[in-house]
Amino acid sequence: MYLHATTGTIDFLSSLQQKHPDVSISARGPEAILYYEDNKEKSIFSTNMTYKVLNEQGSLDEALPLSMFYIPAAGDGTHSLRGHLSDLSEELRAVNGIVSYRVGVNTRDENYIVLIKWADMSIYNDFKHTDVYKNYLTSDSLKKFRNEESLFGDYLSSKTYYNIEDNEYTEEEKEELSD
């Protein structure tokens, strides 16, 4: 199974979704993400965001909020990181409020993605204070997988997206956009 995604503005991706109705959309302020799953390695998108799904649970429901964690890997740390993320998958199975998740590896560059669908955003906010989050998804917990090849890059980036109807700018996003 493969997870395919692309990012862009809501307006552009909404028009792209109209051409591909089986594709899901989520948004964060003016940004959006389109994503879908299938058994083909080749994506309908031209971006390099195709991930071979390594671990999964549940189905991806467009109506629910999601968090995406992008985790670059390089060199010798790649296989250890894969084991770390496999352990994370086991931990996620027991977290209340997680509706579904995907852990995948990019088919071209060995970077990883963790996508989690939440029953409600307040659950995600609570999750950020748990040992599972601290031990598996923070920069500190991922630091041990770094090597010389990855020292100068961002080691973790994450974004939260909402369904289109619930997409509103948070105070933090409004502040960022006004800069």
Side-chain angles (χ1 to χ4, degrees):
M1 176 74 67
Y2 293 91
L3 173 68
H4 308 280
T6 192
T7 57
T9 65
I10 289 177
D11 293 338
F12 176 71
L13 294 184
S14 293
S15 67
L16 192 55
Q17 184 190 32
Q18 289 174 359
K19 295 175 187 172
H20 304 282
D22 294 338
V23 175
S24 297
I25 189 168
S26 295
R28 176 182 177 220
E31 302 173 30
I33 185 167
L34 281 180
Y35 55 95
Y36 71 98
E37 294 180 293
D38 67 15
N39 290 319
K40 301 174 188 162
E41 187 173 347
K42 179 84 171 120
S43 175
I44 62 171
F45 307 132
S46 61
T47 58
N48 183 22
M49 294 176 67
T50 293
Y51 299 88
K52 181 173 174 54
V53 175
L54 303 173
N55 302 93
E56 66 180 289
Q57 180 176 320
S59 63
L60 300 181
D61 182 344
E62 180 179 275
L64 299 173
L66 69 93
S67 55
M68 300 274 274
F69 298 88
Y70 301 96
I71 307 167
D76 298 336
T78 300
H79 296 292
S80 301
L81 180 55
R82 189 174 289 207
H84 177 81
L85 294 175
S86 180
D87 293 344
L88 167 65
S89 296
E90 290 303 313
E91 294 288 338
L92 291 177
R93 293 183 190 281
V95 175
N96 288 331
I98 292 180
V99 175
S100 61
Y101 67 83
R102 300 292 184 272
V103 175
V105 60
N106 190 292
T107 57
R108 294 185 192 157
D109 61 14
E110 286 289 315
N111 289 318
Y112 292 84
I113 190 169
V114 177
L115 179 151
I116 304 172
K117 285 288 201 169
W118 302 94
D120 186 81
M121 276 316 295
S122 64
I123 296 167
Y124 172 60
N125 293 329
D126 292 344
F127 174 72
K128 291 191 288 186
H129 301 285
T130 66
D131 286 341
V132 173
Y133 179 79
K134 184 179 121 209
N135 295 334
Y136 291 96
L137 289 172
T138 62
S139 291
D140 283 345
S141 68
L142 296 166
K143 205 183 303 185
K144 60 188 167 200
F145 302 107
R146 295 190 80 151
N147 62 19
E148 295 82 23
E149 295 175 51
S150 62
L151 282 178
F152 299 105
D154 290 336
Y155 203 65
L156 171 70
S157 67
S158 65
K159 289 200 174 187
T160 305
Y161 295 95
Y162 310 91
N163 70 36
I164 294 294
E165 291 78 32
D166 293 340
N167 179 42
E168 296 178 9
Y169 293 99
T170 65
E171 290 305 315
E172 183 180 294
E173 291 164 340
K174 287 178 187 173
E175 224 173 87
E176 287 175 14
L177 292 171
S178 67
D179 289 342

